[in-house]
Amino acid sequence: PPPQPPPPAPVPVPDAAHVAAARFLEQASFGPSPASIASVKAIGPAAWLTGQFAAPASPMPVAASLPAIAGNWYMNMATGQDQLRQRMIFALSQLFVVSSNKNPYPNEIAPWLTTLQTHAFGNFSELLRQMTLNPAMGKYLDLGNSILPSPNENYAREVMQLFTVGPVMLNQDGSVQLDGNGEPIPTYDQERIGDFSRALSGWTYTGANATGINWENFTGLLQPRDAYHDKTAKTSLGGLTVPAGQTTVQDFNAVMDNLFMHPNVPPFIATRLIRHFVTSNPSPAYITRVADVFANGGGGRGDLAATLRAVLLDPEARSDAVTATSGRLKDPMLHTVGLMRALNATIVSPNNMVWDYSLLGQKITATPSVFNFYSPVTALPGSPQSFGPEFQIYAPALAVARANLIFKLIGGAYWAMVKIDIAPYVTAAADPAVLIGMVDANLLAGRMTPAARSAIDGAVRASTDNKQRAITALFLAAITSEFAVSK
């Protein structure tokens, strides 16, 4: 009879502490690395968070071109020591969206990124105020030079719909409030949008003209001009009156306070952050706990550091129980950067990588609309009652394109941009069981399923070339659901 392949080696029992550290870092960073796993195992998640909150921010220098700005940002995300801040900037950039599709020059993007970095761990109220008057946002959503007699309504609409309260009234657990007919209760209407646009009128760009309107200038915050501000009375959310005769700044403060104190803000922001960092389908109890911290915890209402700590240390985040809807699909950035970090890659030049991400539906600094790369309320395919936002850019063609990019990274086709040393895996490939064990340990923290192990073992044994075996094992592990989904 033909010789039979040797039986597979016994599957090692995963190290629980190692798995827990890796899971935490998948949520709190751009992916675990050998060094970060060792750190979390040594000091624990809570102490790691404390260190990250205190870590200095990675430099985000002003660049002469959009590709350079995108490249600098990408390097911070992939290699920065302030991983938690970088993940928070990434999350907030998809909440307060600005895009180079409308702001096509580097000086029109840089102020937005700087504001996100400065206030990532600060108070949401100050972030909201600074972002509202940010010149990049002023151009993107037209608050800059929104003046009498017809102020622009874009920012007034989106600051409610996407940045703070959402379109319908929420309970503290994120569930929708219904009226007597079972219909969602709107948070605002067209009249409120109009009133807010009038209340936020009279802002122009910084410049030489101290009393009139200035052309686009991105060196400072928007400036108030009372002569161009609508001074009539307005009604804000909750029926509160903004009295007539107030200045541009007084009306601005009234709108900011009204939004910040709205009861929707805690569950709205809690849900957005949980979906970005931990799971697309948090339980109502999880949302409530985080919303309560946003509303009352830490350094007062809106403390983003305390809120983020609550997101990441919640029992639901730290539980290793897995259900059909737990966790979240990694987007292209998190998937590929996580792979690079797991394999100790050296990023030589990220510029062309930004182009590759655009082919996957995620070109950083260039979201297609104010709604981000994907809607945060996208349904999970095949399960419309559940959420799966990232699946909006994971259609079959995009899934194949992402797999092709991963294959090129591992196989060395992008050596001029990203260097991944697979020599240790090539050495181990003489014994498929040893190779797969190494891949399992470094990419999946020992969580490879028996089905995946069997499939990868069969594919590896089909080749006798050790380099091809190593590439095959790494590639197949990188596109498994165990690696592509953070659980």
Side-chain angles (χ1 to χ4, degrees), residues 38 50 70 153 157 200 210 220 229 239 274 314 363 377 384 404 452:
T50 299
E153 294 183 348
R157 178 185 303 105
L200 293 173
H229 173 63
I274 292 170
D314 190 86
K363 184 179 182 180
V377 294
N404 287 339

Side-chain angles (χ1 to χ4, degrees), residues 170-383:
L170 303 173
N171 297 307
Q172 190 76 341
D173 66 0
S175 60
V176 176
Q177 295 185 20
L178 306 177
D179 61 20
N181 296 319
E183 296 295 326
I185 301 172
T187 313
Y188 57 88
D189 54 19
Q190 181 57 42
E191 192 172 353
R192 294 291 74 69
I193 294 172
D195 279 1
F196 270 32
S197 70
R198 294 189 296 113
L200 293 173
S201 64
W203 292 92
T204 189
Y205 296 91
T206 189
N209 192 334
T211 58
I213 297 302
N214 290 305
W215 182 239
E216 292 173 1
N217 184 326
F218 299 89
T219 62
L221 297 178
L222 299 181
Q223 303 294 307
R225 297 291 184 265
D226 288 344
Y228 298 90
H229 173 63
D230 186 316
K231 299 180 182 64
T232 61
K234 302 97 179 170
T235 302
S236 57
L237 300 177
L240 298 177
T241 298
V242 179
Q246 294 199 145
T247 66
T248 309
V249 172
Q250 286 173 324
D251 274 9
F252 169 80
N253 287 333
V255 169
M256 294 297 103
D257 290 344
N258 181 242
L259 288 170
F260 180 59
M261 295 307 297
H262 193 279
N264 265 30
V265 175
F268 183 86
I269 298 301
T271 302
R272 292 295 182 271
L273 291 179
I274 292 170
R275 284 187 178 149
H276 177 86
F277 285 92
V278 178
T279 177
S280 298
N281 294 281
S283 70
Y286 186 7
I287 294 174
T288 300
R289 290 190 292 269
V290 175
D292 285 348
V293 170
F294 182 98
N296 306 302
R301 184 181 180 88
D303 184 335
L304 289 173
T307 303
L308 182 53
R309 185 182 288 271
V311 168
L312 292 168
L313 296 183
D314 190 86
E316 193 166 320
R318 303 280 43 87
S319 171
D320 57 5
V322 174
T323 68
T325 57
S326 62
R328 59 186 295 276
L329 176 70
K330 296 175 185 176
D331 61 29
M333 282 284 297
L334 286 169
H335 194 164
T336 54
V337 173
L339 175 66
M340 295 175 201
R341 288 176 59 81
L343 296 178
N344 279 325
T346 299
I347 301 174
V348 180
S349 173
N351 292 343
N352 287 341
M353 289 294 299
V354 174
W355 168 252
D356 280 286
Y357 288 120
S358 72
L359 301 179
L360 302 178
Q362 195 178 31
K363 184 179 182 180
I364 58 173
T365 75
T367 62
S369 77
V370 73
F371 295 97
N372 183 28
F373 302 109
Y374 42 81
S375 167
V377 294
T378 300
L380 185 66
S383 183

Side-chain angles (χ1 to χ4, degrees), residues 37-262:
I37 288 177
S39 176
V40 171
K41 288 175 71 174
I43 65 175
W48 186 87
L49 290 176
T50 299
Q52 284 286 297
F53 286 130
S58 294
M60 193 175 285
V62 175
S65 68
L66 274 175
I69 281 191
N72 290 340
W73 187 15
Y74 184 85
M75 289 297 288
N76 286 350
M77 289 188 278
T79 66
Q81 294 302 302
D82 56 333
Q83 280 290 293
L84 183 66
R85 178 182 286 103
Q86 295 305 320
R87 270 301 294 270
M88 189 62 158
I89 294 170
F90 192 49
L92 294 174
S93 75
Q94 296 177 58
L95 177 69
F96 292 97
V97 171
V98 167
S99 174
S100 59
N101 287 342
K102 184 172 181 179
N103 295 31
Y105 301 106
N107 66 315
E108 299 179 2
I109 290 293
W112 165 68
L113 282 177
T114 300
T115 296
L116 293 176
Q117 176 170 280
T118 301
H119 299 282
F121 298 150
N123 191 280
F124 184 81
S125 175
E126 187 62 20
L127 172 62
L128 176 63
R129 288 167 176 268
Q130 292 292 312
M131 192 56 74
T132 300
L133 300 182
N134 190 289
M137 183 65 77
K139 176 174 181 175
Y140 186 62
L141 287 181
D142 306 300
L143 190 64
N145 293 340
S146 173
I147 60 176
L148 284 174
S150 301
N152 192 289
E153 294 183 348
N154 279 354
Y155 189 78
R157 178 185 303 105
E158 305 310 349
V159 73
M160 290 189 282
Q161 179 182 208
L162 298 176
F163 302 168
T164 56
V165 298
V168 295
M169 291 296 296
L170 303 173
N171 297 307
Q172 190 76 341
D173 66 0
S175 60
V176 176
Q177 295 185 20
L178 306 177
D179 61 20
N181 296 319
E183 296 295 326
I185 301 172
T187 313
Y188 57 88
D189 54 19
Q190 181 57 42
E191 192 172 353
R192 294 291 74 69
I193 294 172
D195 279 1
F196 270 32
S197 70
R198 294 189 296 113
L200 293 173
S201 64
W203 292 92
T204 189
Y205 296 91
T206 189
N209 192 334
T211 58
I213 297 302
N214 290 305
W215 182 239
E216 292 173 1
N217 184 326
F218 299 89
T219 62
L221 297 178
L222 299 181
Q223 303 294 307
R225 297 291 184 265
D226 288 344
Y228 298 90
H229 173 63
D230 186 316
K231 299 180 182 64
T232 61
K234 302 97 179 170
T235 302
S236 57
L237 300 177
L240 298 177
T241 298
V242 179
Q246 294 199 145
T247 66
T248 309
V249 172
Q250 286 173 324
D251 274 9
F252 169 80
N253 287 333
V255 169
M256 294 297 103
D257 290 344
N258 181 242
L259 288 170
F260 180 59
M261 295 307 297
H262 193 279

